[in-house]
Amino acid sequence: MECRVLSIQSHVVRGYVGNKSASFPLQVMGFEVDSINSVQFSNHTGYSHWKGQVLTADELHVLYEGIKLNNVNHYDYVLTDSHISSSVQLEQCTWALCETLEAPRPAPGDRRGHMVIELQVSHEHRRLRCCALSSVLAGETSLVHELSFIITLRGEESTEMGYTRDTSFLEMVVDIVQELKRANPNLVYVCDPVLGDHGSMYVPQNLHPVYKNKVVPVADIITPNQFEAELLTGKNISTEKDAVEVMDLLHKMGPDTVVITSSDLPPRLGDRFLVSLGSQRILMPDGTRKTQRIRIEVPKVDAVFVGTGDLFAAMLLAWTHHYPTDLKTACEKTFSVMHHVIQRTISYAHEMAGPGRRPSPAQLELRMVQSKADIEDPAIVMEATVL
Amino acid sequence: MDCRILSVQSHVVRGYVGNKSASFPLQVLGFEVDTINSVQFSNHTGYEHWKGQVMTADELQVLYEGIKLNNVNHYDYVLTVCDPVLGDNGALYVPENLLPIYRDKVVPAADIITPNQFEAELLTGRSISTEKDAVEVMNLLHSMGPDTVVITSSDLPSSLGDQYLVALGSQKRLRADGTMVTQQIRMDIPRVDAVFVGTGDLFAAMLLAWTHHHPNDLKTACEKTVSVMHNVIKRTITYAKEVAGPDRKPSPAQLELRMVQSKADIEDPALVLNAVVL
């Protein structure tokens, strides 16, 4: 199998999110994975502390240029993650911080050397809330209160901080995808359009139109949750019929494969389960379009995991590759892998934490290398119903 | 096995050098690998073009800080490019002023090193013309710090003929009764007619893995390590020649290690050579 994936996701030194979550399983399944790390952080943002650096749109472009100059920019798949927006979150917070302090935002073109921003983060929410206590801008010191962590931005980035910066990385990704598609019209772009969950926005409002009008239209496979599916289509989901209509609307926007990874629809198997749905539009040999829709009920898990969305998108890529016209099987395998990895992780985490104690984010890191056999050949543990 | 490695190496978007070369095989063998990418380049520097960004010492520090603040800075192994890639065949890869740092700071902190002959000579100031010289150089390297030394390639003549090159290894260990014992081995390895990039990084990673599984048996650890290398390289060369076509020299892109395709060999390498205990 000679299948090459370009994966543009975040990198964490420790743990499994973004590229760390996607690469190993895809490689274990025999895919060649070229990975561009959009950020490099010590660990994911669910820990008490996290530190690292982000890639600018220019730097992303430079890396892609290198690949292109060598004439090796030929891919079968592109995979991007939610954390595209994490770099955006940092800037949004910087600007919010500046507003809070009534300090001037660095102007575009303003070279300020090292800029250190200190923020307090509520780590129950993925959205960074800026309750800024102090800041050090361009060497001016002020009162420094107790701080949770420090984000250090490289000096060059401050020149790019401007009103357009929040969309430029995402748009650069879209440009790259479009160029790769011109080189290979069969390229499949798998995108997890992370906008939020259960009514909470993870990303600023001004990114909506970018996702809706630029990203989703070039995507071939998307994995929104219910909230994101509703946001992208402007339509509410209260029944299975609604969900099918929303997925049809999403097909119209571009992607031929849509998986609503989780929803609030009432499960038939009881409240220990949640309902996921999928829809795939296929072109038949006679030129007509056929849509296969499925519903799958997945055991709920009593813990917060990070990196599972990235693993899901990667495994959906792999299993739709092996079952391109059979969404039922592709989803059964994908959700089954997830189940095995998560179960193994939960068992280990509880063991490490001890009885009656809540496992820490470190203990809840996915047991990825330990799940190699499940990744290679997942035992199917749930059945999808064809609607 | 819950064994955690901190690997500080380069990252390439495409291909297998540095962390790209080390991570997958170590993970396949069940190791947890935390990776700090010291650079991010599009590809290795053997291609016609390469582009990317380099990390500063501050940025490296910041990342480590994050790990430390979370109290998860607990590792069983650290893996870095020490593999002292200083040079080969008389040519220096890195500037002369780095040599003292390697010799006086890095090597003394190391437990396992994988120099080639030239690097071993440079670090010790001693020439290697015979197997006896090599053994003396390895003993000198032991006295500088590392208990395990593998000279990955040398110009020493192989008894199997000129299609082979000679590698040597030496491991000093403390026996239960308190005495020091040194096991030294020699390996005759089939030569390969191509230039590979990333093989040194893969070698260091696999030596880590196999000395972990065979901590008192350098002979077996080296046989497994060299066998993995051989299998990966053979698969790579075969593929490269196929893709390049008859009578054409494969390109750097075509010569990228066939890493994911070699998963089974990595997990359980078929032995292709016997190391001789000296």
Side-chain angles (χ1 to χ4, degrees):
Chain A
M1 174 177 79
E2 204 54 41
C3 196
R4 193 170 284 267
V5 179
L6 174 63
S7 179
I8 306 175
Q9 307 198 46
S10 38
H11 171 81
V12 284
V13 172
R14 178 193 211 276
Y16 296 99
V17 297
N19 269 331
K20 272 289 219 62
S21 191
S23 298
F24 176 71
L26 283 169
Q27 291 173 310
V28 147
M29 290 179 71
F31 290 82
E32 285 282 1
V33 184
D34 286 7
S35 44
I36 295 182
N37 298 321
S38 57
V39 309
Q40 177 164 223
F41 288 157
S42 52
N43 41 263
H44 70 68
T45 57
Y47 286 64
S48 304
H49 309 274
W50 53 271
K51 291 195 179 207
Q53 300 92 30
V54 305
L55 205 66
T56 65
D58 273 353
E59 288 168 332
L60 165 61
H61 183 70
V62 160
L63 286 169
Y64 177 68
E65 273 287 290
I67 300 284
K68 196 166 141 183
L69 284 167
N70 288 309
N71 208 16
V72 287
N73 55 328
H74 307 298
Y75 295 100
D76 304 292
Y77 289 89
V78 176
L79 179 61
T80 64
D81 73 341
S82 40
H83 306 266
I84 281 181
S85 34
S86 64
S87 56
V88 169
Q89 289 172 322
L90 289 180
E91 284 127 57
Q92 292 301 109
C93 284
T94 309
W95 298 334
L97 169 61
C98 293
E99 271 167 41
T100 311
L101 301 171
E102 293 175 318
R105 294 190 202 190
D110 182 353
R111 291 199 156 271
R112 282 191 186 223
H114 233 63
M115 204 162 128
V116 175
I117 314 288
E118 290 144 351
L119 305 167
Q120 183 181 49
V121 164
S122 157
H123 51 255
E124 287 91 67
H125 305 288
R126 285 183 63 189
R127 180 201 306 143
L128 298 180
R129 230 191 308 129
C130 300
C131 308
L133 303 178
S134 74
S135 79
V136 178
L137 292 169
E140 304 157 33
T141 49
S142 41
L143 286 169
V144 177
H145 294 265
E146 195 174 19
L147 303 151
S148 302
F149 59 84
I150 296 172
I151 305 168
T152 305
L153 303 172
R154 282 173 298 199
E156 314 86 79
E157 283 166 281
S158 61
T159 67
E160 301 199 312
M161 293 181 114
Y163 297 81
T164 57
R165 169 72 169 90
D166 58 345
T167 57
S168 68
F169 193 94
L170 207 47
E171 286 168 325
M172 180 61 63
V173 171
V174 172
D175 285 346
I176 289 173
V177 170
Q178 285 173 321
E179 190 176 301
L180 290 173
K181 281 194 168 188
R182 284 192 288 272
N184 174 16
N186 294 322
L187 183 142
V188 174
Y189 173 31
V190 180
C191 173
D192 183 8
V194 171
L195 297 162
D197 205 356
H198 291 107
S200 287
M201 287 295 308
Y202 291 160
V203 307
Q205 296 254 1
N206 67 331
L207 269 199
H208 274 214
V210 183
Y211 268 109
K212 197 163 148 172
N213 304 328
K214 295 203 172 181
V215 179
V216 171
V218 299
D220 300 284
I221 300 178
I222 58 170
T223 57
N225 56 36
Q226 174 177 329
F227 175 68
E228 291 154 351
E230 292 173 334
L231 215 58
L232 287 168
T233 55
K235 200 181 138 64
N236 256 341
I237 296 175
S238 308
T239 64
E240 193 178 275
K241 184 166 169 295
D242 291 339
V244 169
E245 279 173 34
V246 162
M247 291 193 289
D248 280 343
L249 279 170
L250 288 167
H251 283 316
K252 274 210 184 68
M253 288 168 71
D256 282 340
T257 304
V258 177
V259 176
I260 297 181
T261 51
S262 61
S263 75
D264 288 334
L265 293 173
R268 290 175 198 145
L269 298 177
D271 61 6
R272 302 291 298 274
F273 288 80
L274 62 83
V275 175
S276 305
L277 300 114
S279 178
Q280 186 175 56
R281 221 164 49 162
I282 314 164
L283 196 60
M284 302 295 284
D286 64 2
T288 56
R289 275 232 137 88
K290 190 178 86 152
T291 307
Q292 182 191 57
R293 299 174 183 98
I294 58 127
R295 172 203 174 98
I296 188 164
E297 302 206 354
V298 174
K300 268 201 185 139
V301 183
D302 182 32
V304 177
F305 289 103
V306 184
T308 41
D310 302 326
L311 178 59
F312 184 89
M315 294 297 88
L316 188 66
L317 182 161
W319 290 113
T320 53
H321 176 77
H322 289 306
Y323 297 96
T325 54
D326 182 359
L327 186 64
K328 178 181 185 301
T329 304
C331 280
E332 284 167 351
K333 299 232 174 183
T334 305
F335 279 101
S336 294
V337 175
M338 298 304 302
H339 178 80
H340 295 303
V341 175
I342 284 172
Q343 285 299 111
R344 180 172 287 105
T345 304
I346 272 206
S347 301
Y348 174 82
H350 281 143
E351 205 180 296
M352 286 286 111
R357 295 180 75 144
R358 226 181 90 183
S360 68
Q363 292 164 337
L364 280 165
E365 289 285 5
L366 297 176
R367 296 296 275 168
M368 192 72 81
V369 305
Q370 298 78 7
S371 300
K372 185 180 63 174
D374 291 318
I375 291 165
E376 286 165 339
D377 191 17
I380 307 289
V381 293
M382 54 199 78
E383 214 190 314
T385 330
V386 178
L387 298 179
Chain B
M1 173 178 80
D2 229 347
C3 195
R4 192 169 285 266
I5 300 169
L6 175 64
S7 179
V8 185
Q9 305 196 50
S10 40
H11 170 80
V12 284
V13 172
R14 178 194 211 277
Y16 296 98
V17 297
N19 270 332
K20 272 287 219 64
S21 190
S23 297
F24 176 71
L26 284 169
Q27 290 173 311
V28 149
L29 287 171
F31 291 84
E32 285 282 0
V33 187
D34 287 7
T35 45
I36 295 181
N37 298 320
S38 55
V39 309
Q40 177 165 223
F41 288 159
S42 53
N43 42 263
H44 70 68
T45 57
Y47 286 64
E48 218 180 302
H49 308 273
W50 52 273
K51 291 199 176 220
Q53 298 92 30
V54 178
M55 196 194 292
T56 66
D58 274 351
E59 288 167 336
L60 169 57
Q61 173 105 24
V62 160
L63 285 172
Y64 178 68
E65 271 288 300
I67 300 284
K68 198 163 135 184
L69 283 168
N70 289 309
N71 207 17
V72 288
N73 56 327
H74 307 298
Y75 294 101
D76 302 291
Y77 290 91
V78 175
L79 179 60
T80 70
V81 184
C82 298
D83 201 17
V85 181
L86 298 173
D88 208 353
N89 291 314
L92 265 180
Y93 291 159
V94 303
E96 296 236 3
N97 62 341
L98 278 190
L99 173 57
I101 298 180
Y102 269 113
R103 194 185 53 215
D104 305 332
K105 295 212 163 174
V106 178
V107 170
D111 300 285
I112 300 177
I113 59 170
T114 56
N116 56 35
Q117 174 176 332
F118 178 65
E119 292 156 349
E121 291 173 334
L122 215 56
L123 287 169
T124 55
R126 284 281 312 264
S127 229
I128 295 176
S129 309
T130 64
E131 194 177 275
K132 184 165 169 293
D133 291 338
V135 169
E136 280 174 31
V137 162
M138 291 195 289
N139 282 331
L140 275 171
L141 288 167
H142 284 316
S143 68
M144 287 167 72
D147 282 343
T148 303
V149 178
V150 177
I151 297 181
T152 51
S153 62
S154 74
D155 289 333
L156 295 174
S158 168
S159 50
L160 297 180
D162 61 8
Q163 292 298 309
Y164 289 79
L165 64 83
V166 173
L168 301 112
S170 179
Q171 186 175 58
K172 215 168 64 166
R173 60 186 176 89
L174 201 58
R175 270 212 286 236
D177 62 5
T179 55
M180 264 301 179
V181 68
T182 310
Q183 181 190 53
Q184 275 138 358
I185 58 144
R186 188 190 79 228
M187 294 173 282
D188 296 80
I189 305 175
R191 275 185 202 276
V192 181
D193 181 31
V195 176
F196 289 104
V197 184
T199 41
D201 302 328
L202 178 60
F203 186 92
M206 294 298 87
L207 187 66
L208 182 161
W210 292 115
T211 53
H212 177 76
H213 288 305
H214 304 282
N216 299 313
D217 183 359
L218 185 65
K219 177 182 185 304
T220 304
C222 280
E223 283 167 351
K224 295 213 171 172
T225 304
V226 173
S227 295
V228 176
M229 297 303 303
H230 180 78
N231 289 323
V232 175
I233 285 172
K234 281 221 70 180
R235 179 172 286 105
T236 304
I237 270 212
T238 305
Y239 173 82
K241 291 198 157 137
E242 205 180 293
V243 178
D247 290 329
R248 294 180 77 143
K249 218 181 102 177
S251 68
Q254 292 163 338
L255 280 165
E256 289 286 3
L257 297 176
R258 295 296 274 168
M259 192 72 79
V260 304
Q261 298 77 5
S262 301
K263 186 179 62 174
D265 291 316
I266 291 165
E267 287 167 337
D268 191 16
L271 291 187
V272 299
L273 85 169
N274 274 321
V276 172
V277 178
L278 300 178

